[in-house]
Amino acid sequence: MVDTADDTERRERPGPTWGDRVRFVLRGIGQTLITLGVVVLLFVVYEVYVTNWFAEHEQAQVRTALKKQWLDAVKDPLLPLPGQSAPKLPEGQGIAYLYIPRLGRDFGYAIVQGTSQADLEKGPGHYVGTALPGQRGNFAIAGHRVGKGEPFLNLDQLQAGDAVIVQTDSNWFVYRVGGTPGDISAAGLDGVPGREIVDPSDGNVLLPVPDHPDAPAKHRWMTLTTCHPKFTATQRMILHAVLAQTVRAHGLAMPAAISALYNQVRS
């Protein structure tokens, strides 16, 4: 049999060297890492941007429904008549508005009833079973910190004494963050700190007197909970505030006494 030119070329072509094999493996690893990087990047874009877009749409619907409810309602559903218990509020429905002057005049969210994932994708959620706005005990709400609307993204910027405002149909409740000047983590009223970092399983922060299981509820607390640190859910950052002022006012317009609180924010 006569060899062809192609047969001769194949016999004379050297086989892959050890270096060729190493480069082949490294190229494969590099391409795999690039693919994984693209997947992670797409996931981050979805979690941070796409979920925010959906959450903003849901929040807008809740705000619109709550405004209509207040304009049409005869009385504030959060304020039962004397001798009556508070009505059971449907989960996922707006119950109040939240404002935090330190986070700017454009910070404003409708608070929904409930803390399921579906509820929290609409906005900050009220822990069912805790007090309602202005009531004695602990009015507690949760909110996402990154993605899904991220209402509590900058909650770590709050300082001791900062105002946290809750608007209902009939009242504007002004809570003040605990702690001491210059040390928000210091124990204040009833030994409750203004801010603390806890494990996700720590339910004592939601007690009528936060962190004090046997203490009687003498004051009107508000607790904000969110994930900590940012982009993780390994711990929870907790803010505690106590009711300092109530401004009675019907309608959607912000009273002058509440608007003035924005001018009191200090760096």
Side-chain angles (χ1 to χ4, degrees):
M1 179 183 294
V2 178
D3 288 342
T4 65
D6 289 340
D7 293 332
T8 302
E9 183 179 351
R10 278 195 294 269
R11 282 199 304 271
E12 293 178 352
R13 183 185 304 158
T17 65
W18 183 85
D20 293 333
R21 294 189 178 94
V22 171
R23 284 189 289 272
F24 176 79
V25 171
L26 291 178
R27 279 196 298 270
I29 293 174
Q31 291 171 354
T32 301
L33 292 175
I34 291 172
T35 301
L36 290 175
V38 171
V39 171
V40 170
L41 179 60
L42 290 174
F43 176 77
V44 170
V45 169
Y46 174 80
E47 282 292 309
V48 176
Y49 297 103
V50 178
T51 62
N52 277 349
W53 186 87
F54 284 116
E56 289 169 4
H57 177 70
E58 294 280 353
Q59 170 68 191
Q61 290 185 318
V62 173
R63 287 198 303 266
T64 300
L66 184 56
K67 288 179 180 179
K68 184 178 187 303
Q69 173 187 320
W70 285 355
L71 291 173
D72 296 342
V74 176
K75 69 178 186 69
D76 190 337
L78 298 183
L79 297 176
L81 295 173
Q84 294 183 343
S85 60
K88 181 176 175 59
L89 302 172
E91 295 190 22
Q93 173 181 299
I95 63 171
Y97 281 98
L98 174 68
Y99 306 92
I100 302 179
R102 179 163 296 280
L103 301 185
R105 289 187 178 272
D106 58 344
F107 180 95
Y109 286 89
I111 303 169
V112 303
Q113 176 74 349
T115 54
S116 70
Q117 285 300 319
D119 297 331
L120 294 180
E121 288 177 5
K122 298 178 181 179
H126 170 234
Y127 283 95
V128 176
T130 67
L132 291 173
Q135 286 186 339
R136 182 178 287 108
N138 190 6
F139 170 54
I141 63 176
H144 284 296
R145 196 169 184 194
V146 176
K148 299 177 182 178
E150 53 194 37
F152 289 169
L153 175 66
N154 296 314
L155 208 61
D156 57 324
Q157 295 181 9
L158 268 64
Q159 301 177 16
D162 276 352
V164 179
I165 304 164
V166 179
Q167 176 195 11
T168 68
D169 179 40
S170 303
N171 294 283
W172 294 71
F173 299 104
V174 181
Y175 295 83
R176 292 285 180 176
V177 177
T180 59
D183 186 4
I184 191 175
S185 298
L189 184 67
D190 286 347
V192 177
R195 181 174 66 206
E196 57 182 325
I197 307 300
V198 303
D199 290 332
S201 60
D202 188 350
N204 286 338
V205 298
L206 304 180
L207 292 172
V209 181
D211 299 326
H212 293 74
D214 300 321
K218 298 182 295 182
H219 301 289
R220 290 164 168 80
W221 292 96
M222 180 181 188
T223 293
L224 310 176
T225 76
T226 193
C227 293
H228 179 82
K230 290 178 180 178
F231 300 100
T232 71
T234 56
Q235 294 177 302
R236 296 290 183 269
M237 180 170 63
I238 314 297
L239 272 293
H240 299 294
V242 68
L243 185 65
Q245 179 184 6
T246 300
V247 176
R248 188 164 182 80
H250 285 279
L252 301 177
M254 180 176 288
I258 299 298
S259 182
L261 297 175
Y262 285 82
N263 300 325
Q264 300 174 9
V265 177
R266 297 179 180 178
S267 58

